[in-house]
């Protein structure tokens, strides 16, 4: 058979193979031609990421399993992989202006994003602890380097170092948890763990705690959120946009798959952890962002809060909850990508503007950009009828139906508190004293802002296809 080798059916893993081989080919082109090939490599990388998404979509329907059951492609994996691929491709489109600078002109950036995306795809399809760890490390190692990609900027280097050190600590905890689970269940496969862990022995519970601690770091939720504000502020803005989208999608996907498939017999044990983490993240994200003056730090706290909202759906442990998580990640990715594109577009005389006060009077100097940014911020705050409202509606409804009424009430309260800092930015844009005009915005940035803002404004008019796809993805986990 064309897609069989060494006894393994390789068709399910074909998109990852194509992307990995493509990354190696582009690395060869870059090494051969030098930094003058940076633009060409970036364009080819975007095309390859899109092509990989098409291959993923065209894979045969139903569950595809390979590597002895450790790699699975179902509707859930297919949906979130395509979302991660689109997020990575959009990151490379956004980074064009950033890479135009002579000191940052490097073909390696696109290669690292592609290799990290391969790791995300492996992570999303992981069906045992070994594949989970391999995917997580492949994704993370490239991210550590990307965070420090602005080599002449001390903050960027510091961000990369902090991310690496804390990421290594989280990786160790995850590995320790995986070891405990293997020791007490005798298997690494999620299906085997689900069958062996029905009793919820104390060893397995400890293993769940450490495993989820490692995953909490990757989705940057309390109490493993400490790296997020510093890394978001220090890393280049296109990289920050990348961190807040594709890797979050992959990490939340594996978080969902692990608790709903491997620990389906010990719901009470993991549900307590998820509920605590969700409440703490929503509260810290909402209150922590209020005092921020740097908009990237504010968005970092915003991301902590939003991951807490997504975990409200996961805490339900039902099909509706999983559907809510999938929808939340789609809408959050679009919202945050649009917001970071506006932040990236803000510059004056070539200098990036990152303070909230720099947005003063934007409604007079660039009214269309200010309007789209306001719509994205209203959506992030959850104001109806924008997409962000429906994202929260789905997860809160799932939690209420699962009996977690108090959790939903806390979510609504923290959502109201969180609206304050989004509205503050809108107030600065529309009512503060006009500042000097900003530089002209590149066409690709204007396009991304317009598309993301229109998606958020018009989602309510035709949500059917996205909701149906999310429902099918969620059902494949049960």
């Amino acid at each position: 058979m064309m897609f069989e080798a060494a006894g393994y059916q390789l068709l399910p893993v074909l998109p990852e193979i194509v992307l990995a081989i493509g990354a190696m080919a582009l690395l060869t082109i870059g090494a051969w031609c030098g930094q003058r090939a940076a633009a060409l490599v970036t364009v080819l990388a975007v095309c390859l990421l899109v092509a990989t998404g098409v291959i993923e979509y065209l894979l045969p329907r139903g569950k595809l399993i390979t590597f002895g059951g450790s790699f699975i492609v179902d509707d859930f994996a297919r949906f979130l992989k395509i979302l991660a691929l689109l997020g990575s491709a959009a990151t490379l489109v956004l980074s064009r202006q950033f890479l135009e600078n002579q000191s940052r002109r490097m073909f390696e950036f696109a290669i690292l994003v592609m290799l990290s995306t391969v790791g995300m795809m492996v992570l999303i399809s992981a069906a045992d602890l070994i594949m989970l760890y391999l995917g997580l490390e492949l994704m993370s190692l490239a991210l550590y380097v990307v965070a420090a990609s602005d080599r002449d900027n001390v903050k960027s280097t510091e961000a990369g170092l902090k991310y690496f050190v804390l990421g290594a600590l989280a990786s160790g905890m995850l590995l320790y948890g995986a070891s405990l689970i293997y020791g007490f269940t005798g298997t690494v496969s999620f299906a085997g763990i689900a069958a062996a862990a029905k009793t919820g022995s104390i060893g397995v519970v400890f293993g769940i705690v450490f495993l989820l601690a490692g995953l909490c770091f990757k989705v940057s939720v309390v109490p493993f959120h400490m790296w997020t504000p510093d890394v978001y502020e220090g890393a280049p803005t296109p990289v920050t946009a990348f961190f807040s989208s594709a890797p979050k999608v992959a990490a939340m996907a594996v978080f969902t798959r692990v608790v709903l498939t491997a620990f389906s017999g010990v719901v009470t044990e993991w549900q307590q952890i998820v509920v605590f983490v969700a409440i703490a993240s929503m509260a810290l994200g909402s209150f922590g962002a209020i005092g921020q003056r740097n908009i990237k730090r504010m968005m970092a706290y915003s991301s902590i809060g939003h991951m807490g909202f997504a975990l409200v759906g996961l805490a339900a442990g039902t099909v509706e909850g999983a559907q809510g998580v999938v929808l939340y990640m789609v809408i959050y990715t679009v919202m945050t990508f649009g917001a970071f594109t506006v932040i990236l577009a803000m510059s004056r005389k070539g200098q990036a503007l990152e303070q909230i006060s720099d947005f003063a009077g934007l409604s007079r100097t660039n009214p269309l950009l200010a309007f789209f940014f306001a719509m994205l911020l209203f959506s992030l705050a959850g104001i109806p009828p924008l997409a962000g409202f429906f994202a929260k509606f789905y997860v809160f409804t799932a939690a209420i139906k699962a009996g977690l009424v108090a959790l939903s009430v806390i979510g609504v309260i923290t959502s109201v508190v969180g609206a304050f800092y989004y509205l503050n930015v809108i107030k600065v844009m529309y009512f503060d004293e006009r500042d000097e005009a900003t530089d002209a915005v590149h066409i690709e940035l204007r396009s991304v802002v317009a598309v993301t803002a229109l998606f958020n404004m018009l989602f309510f008019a035709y949500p059917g296809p996205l909701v149906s796809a999310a429902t099918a993805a969620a059902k494949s986990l049960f």
Side-chain angles (χ1 to χ4, degrees):
M1 289 286 289
M2 185 176 176
F3 295 111
E4 285 187 2
Y8 294 113
Q9 173 63 251
L10 295 181
L11 184 61
V13 80
L14 180 63
E16 285 81 358
I17 292 173
V18 169
L19 192 57
I21 292 176
M24 292 301 105
L26 294 184
L27 179 62
T28 307
I29 292 172
W32 185 267
C33 300
Q35 299 304 348
R36 66 179 184 278
L40 174 66
V41 169
T42 303
V43 171
L44 291 175
V46 172
C47 297
L48 197 55
L49 286 165
V50 173
T52 305
V54 173
I55 295 171
E56 187 71 53
Y57 180 76
L58 294 176
L59 286 179
R61 301 290 102 178
K63 279 188 181 176
L64 306 175
I65 300 172
T66 188
F67 299 139
S70 62
F71 190 95
I72 184 167
V73 179
D74 50 14
D75 289 340
F76 181 78
R78 199 174 284 114
F79 185 92
L80 292 172
K81 279 186 191 180
I82 292 173
L83 181 62
L85 285 162
L86 291 176
S88 299
T91 299
L92 291 180
V93 172
L94 289 189
S95 65
R96 191 183 76 83
Q97 189 181 354
F98 168 74
L99 295 173
E100 278 180 355
N101 187 302
Q102 187 66 32
S103 64
R104 303 171 189 149
R105 193 169 296 164
M106 47 192 175
F107 68 86
E108 296 93 338
F109 184 84
I111 307 294
L112 288 166
V113 169
M114 291 172 72
L115 291 176
S116 178
T117 309
V118 175
M120 292 173 210
M121 296 174 73
V122 172
L123 191 59
I124 292 170
S125 277
D128 72 14
L129 296 172
I130 294 174
M131 193 63 75
L132 184 157
Y133 190 71
L134 288 175
L136 197 70
E137 288 306 296
L138 181 56
M139 176 185 80
S140 302
L141 288 173
L143 292 180
Y144 300 145
V145 184
V146 167
S149 56
D150 193 0
R151 290 167 291 187
D152 296 332
N153 187 326
V154 176
K155 279 190 171 180
S156 177
T157 310
E158 183 186 339
L161 188 61
K162 277 184 180 173
Y163 194 28
F164 171 69
V165 172
L166 294 173
L169 178 67
S171 182
M173 286 193 289
L174 186 142
L175 202 55
Y176 183 59
S179 305
L180 282 174
I181 292 167
Y182 173 66
F184 282 90
T185 62
T187 178
V188 292
S189 77
F190 293 168
I193 293 169
K198 287 180 180 172
T199 56
S201 71
I202 190 69
V204 173
V205 173
F206 268 102
I208 293 172
V209 170
F210 279 101
L211 188 75
L212 295 190
L215 294 177
C216 284
F217 177 88
K218 294 302 173 188
V219 292
S220 70
V221 288
V222 178
F224 303 100
H225 64 283
M226 69 293 287
W227 60 275
T228 317
D230 291 343
V231 173
Y232 270 45
E233 183 185 7
T237 304
V239 174
T240 312
F242 181 49
F243 281 178
S244 65
S245 54
K248 286 274 174 70
V249 170
M252 189 56 80
V254 76
F255 202 134
T256 305
R257 188 186 290 280
V258 165
V259 298
L260 293 181
T261 60
F263 304 125
S264 56
V266 286
V267 174
T268 308
E269 282 78 0
W270 65 257
Q271 200 175 43
Q272 295 175 44
I273 300 170
V274 173
V275 167
F276 166 76
V277 169
I279 292 173
S281 302
M282 290 187 294
L284 185 132
S286 299
F287 287 100
I290 291 175
Q292 301 304 318
R293 297 291 174 266
N294 183 293
I295 197 158
K296 286 167 71 177
R297 288 186 74 86
M298 189 199 87
M299 291 299 293
Y301 281 99
S302 163
S303 81
I304 295 169
H306 278 285
M307 291 303 103
F309 291 125
L311 289 178
V312 170
L314 183 58
T318 60
V319 174
E320 285 184 335
Q323 178 216 29
V325 173
V326 173
L327 278 171
Y328 203 98
M329 292 314 296
V330 175
I331 294 172
Y332 172 73
T333 300
V334 176
M335 291 188 297
T336 195
F337 226 101
F340 273 110
T341 307
V342 176
I343 297 169
L344 182 63
M346 290 292 291
S347 65
R348 190 171 291 132
K349 297 174 183 172
Q351 295 298 313
L353 303 177
E354 295 180 356
Q355 298 300 312
I356 293 174
S357 57
D358 293 328
F359 288 76
L362 185 67
S363 62
R364 269 91 72 192
T365 56
N366 197 334
L368 193 59
L369 187 68
F371 172 74
F372 282 146
F373 193 33
M375 290 300 108
L376 289 163
L377 291 172
F378 276 132
S379 186
L380 281 163
I383 306 292
L386 300 171
F389 166 77
F390 291 98
K392 288 176 180 165
F393 174 79
Y394 284 113
V395 293
F396 290 161
T397 303
I400 290 170
K401 286 184 178 177
L404 300 171
V405 178
L407 179 62
S408 299
V409 171
I410 293 170
V412 172
I413 292 170
T414 53
S415 184
V416 172
V417 173
F420 173 81
Y421 57 85
Y422 295 121
L423 295 177
N424 178 52
V425 179
I426 297 170
K427 188 270 293 181
V428 170
M429 286 194 299
Y430 279 87
F431 298 107
D432 280 12
E433 199 63 33
R434 174 178 169 169
D435 211 335
E436 193 179 341
T438 54
D439 296 341
V441 181
H442 283 234
I443 179 67
E444 65 267 23
L445 299 186
R446 287 205 302 265
S447 305
V448 172
V449 172
V451 169
T452 53
L454 289 173
F455 170 85
N456 279 287
M457 292 161 63
L458 302 176
F459 173 77
F460 74 94
Y462 193 51
L466 188 57
V467 174
S468 300
T471 306
K475 282 182 177 174
S476 69
L477 290 175
F478 291 84

